[in-house]
Amino acid sequence: MNLSTRLAGAMVLLVLLTVAAVGALTYRSIEASVLPGELDRVGAHAHTVSAELRAYTRGARADIRAFRAAVALDGMIRAHIAGGVDPQGGRTEAQWREGLADRFMAELVAKPSYLQFRVIGVADGGREILRVDRSGAGGSVRRVPDAELQRRGTRDFFTQTTALPTGEIYVSRIDLNQTNGVIAEPHVPVMRVATPVRLSNGDVFGILVINVDLSSVFASIEGAAQRGRRVYVVDKDGNYLAHPDERREFGFLLGHPYRWQEDLPELATALGTREDGAALVRDASGAAVGAAMATVRLADGPPVAVIETLPYDMLMAPAIAVRRTSLIAAVLAAACAIVLAALLARSLTRPLTAMTKAIEGF
């Protein structure tokens, strides 16, 4: 290798090293400044989704309290206790029940988020006294015939609600709707909001229950996750309630539980005991993602959390754009350096070559 080639190579190498060092330092600087802000954006979006969930279920507590004070409910209870006729107005229990059913049906028509309204008595194994739901033709609202009313006395929501003091409200964990003790198909995620119904002497007559249907809000949340962004809803134990892969939803009820801590172990470590936060972590496959959690209590019930993840490439798009620009600049600089180094090396070595030839001739 002659002197001209060595000089040209050294010049090109120097240019490449300089461009690479400047690009790396610039990328690290931008990454350090951009990453916290982008993680905050992921966390803010997770909080927005959790607020959407809270708003969707907010009215259930107010409605259950309002219906507990309904005149028709009190009249039906008086007629039931009196043997079928209300001693205060002469209306029959059936008439009071019909009026209450009409109110329940109007409420379901006005509020698509409600799946069922029920009055369940403590007598006869916790048998339903009145149920209005969406089991009619094409999902229409209907009053369920007496022959189809079910016993619910052994269900957790029934036993826990009947044990509450007057005026208290029970909110269940989110699970799947059941019919006659069997998970209904297709799966419908529900949350039950209930309150005890007591007689004037303080004895428990039964409970009033609203089943809130969460399928539409879960579908809305999953549909909003685009371009690599993924959103999950999990319960306090970490079980998936909403997941882009439906097979991983409600696994704890279907015999194959899936928990977010298994898919995002580094996030679980980063958060510790906190209910909210964001961090750059690796998922179970080893891919880097920005992940955030926001916890909310729906209708002041058990906590659920919204988890959102965004791939590192999307999270750091500005810094990656700078890195790409630096690579292009390095290629262009190298090309220019090769041309200039060749010309410069030749001009520098020409006198030395002439001197060498002269000395050799001498």
Side-chain angles (χ1 to χ4, degrees):
M1 182 182 296
N2 58 37
L3 181 58
S4 175
T5 303
R6 283 182 288 183
L7 283 173
M11 293 178 186
V12 171
L13 180 60
L14 180 61
V15 171
L16 288 177
L17 289 175
T18 302
V19 172
V22 172
L25 290 174
T26 303
Y27 176 77
R28 293 301 178 190
S29 177
I30 294 177
E31 182 183 44
S33 61
V34 168
L35 182 59
E38 292 301 313
L39 288 176
D40 286 343
R41 286 176 182 270
V42 177
H45 191 265
H47 278 281
T48 299
V49 174
S50 69
E52 180 183 348
L53 273 174
R54 185 191 296 113
Y56 186 86
T57 58
R58 180 179 295 133
R61 289 184 72 92
D63 286 341
I64 201 74
R65 189 176 288 113
F67 274 95
R68 172 58 193 90
V71 173
L73 179 60
D74 288 338
M76 185 185 73
I77 294 172
R78 288 194 304 269
H80 184 84
I81 297 302
V85 178
D86 182 4
Q88 292 189 13
R91 296 188 67 180
T92 66
E93 180 182 356
Q95 289 174 324
W96 279 121
R97 192 182 304 177
E98 188 68 29
L100 186 60
D102 289 342
R103 287 198 60 187
F104 285 171
M105 292 177 69
E107 195 74 8
L108 260 64
V109 170
K111 298 179 179 178
S113 60
Y114 291 168
L115 181 68
Q116 295 179 355
F117 262 96
R118 290 178 289 174
V119 178
I120 305 175
V122 294
D124 194 12
R127 189 172 185 272
E128 294 171 332
I129 296 173
L130 173 64
R131 170 156 52 101
V132 172
D133 61 21
R134 299 183 185 276
S135 60
S140 61
V141 175
R142 70 158 189 163
R143 175 185 172 181
V144 176
D146 290 351
E148 297 180 26
L149 298 177
Q150 304 170 27
R151 290 179 175 83
R152 299 296 192 179
T154 59
R155 298 291 303 276
D156 287 345
F157 73 87
F158 182 84
T159 57
Q160 293 185 41
T161 303
T162 54
L164 291 176
T166 302
E168 293 295 311
I169 295 175
Y170 166 84
V171 181
S172 74
R173 67 182 298 179
I174 298 172
D175 60 14
L176 296 175
N177 192 50
Q178 296 186 19
T179 301
N180 291 319
V182 178
I183 295 175
E185 294 284 352
H187 294 163
V188 179
V190 295
M191 179 182 73
R192 299 168 186 85
V193 181
T195 190
V197 177
R198 297 182 180 275
L199 303 174
S200 57
N201 62 4
D203 292 341
V204 179
F205 172 80
I207 67 172
L208 179 64
V209 191
I210 299 175
N211 280 28
V212 182
D213 180 355
L214 297 163
S215 54
S216 62
V217 70
F218 282 177
S220 174
I221 290 171
E222 294 168 5
Q226 299 175 353
R227 298 180 60 244
R229 187 187 300 272
R230 310 192 82 183
V231 181
Y232 316 92
V233 180
V234 300
D235 66 12
K236 62 183 180 64
D237 297 321
N239 300 297
Y240 286 115
L241 307 178
H243 192 287
D245 183 356
E246 292 183 359
R247 294 171 298 181
R248 300 176 71 84
E249 297 176 347
F250 294 96
F252 66 100
L253 294 176
L254 304 174
H256 42 75
Y258 298 102
R259 296 184 174 87
W260 72 268
Q261 293 92 337
E262 298 166 357
D263 296 330
L264 293 167
E266 290 188 5
L267 179 62
T269 301
L271 293 178
T273 58
R274 291 183 296 155
E275 295 185 338
D276 299 82
L280 180 64
V281 299
R282 295 192 178 274
D283 60 19
S285 67
V289 296
M293 172 185 281
T295 301
V296 63
R297 283 173 166 76
L298 305 184
D300 295 332
V304 299
V306 174
I307 298 177
E308 181 169 327
T309 63
L310 192 66
Y312 181 80
D313 289 350
M314 294 182 61
L315 190 72
M316 297 301 298
I320 292 173
V322 171
R323 183 175 63 185
R324 188 179 300 113
T325 303
S326 298
L327 290 174
I328 295 173
V331 171
L332 294 175
C336 294
I338 291 172
V339 174
L340 293 175
L343 295 175
L344 184 59
R346 184 176 298 177
S347 66
L348 290 173
T349 57
R350 188 178 295 116
L352 295 176
T353 302
M355 291 173 61
T356 300
K357 289 182 179 180
I359 292 172
E360 288 175 350
F362 177 76

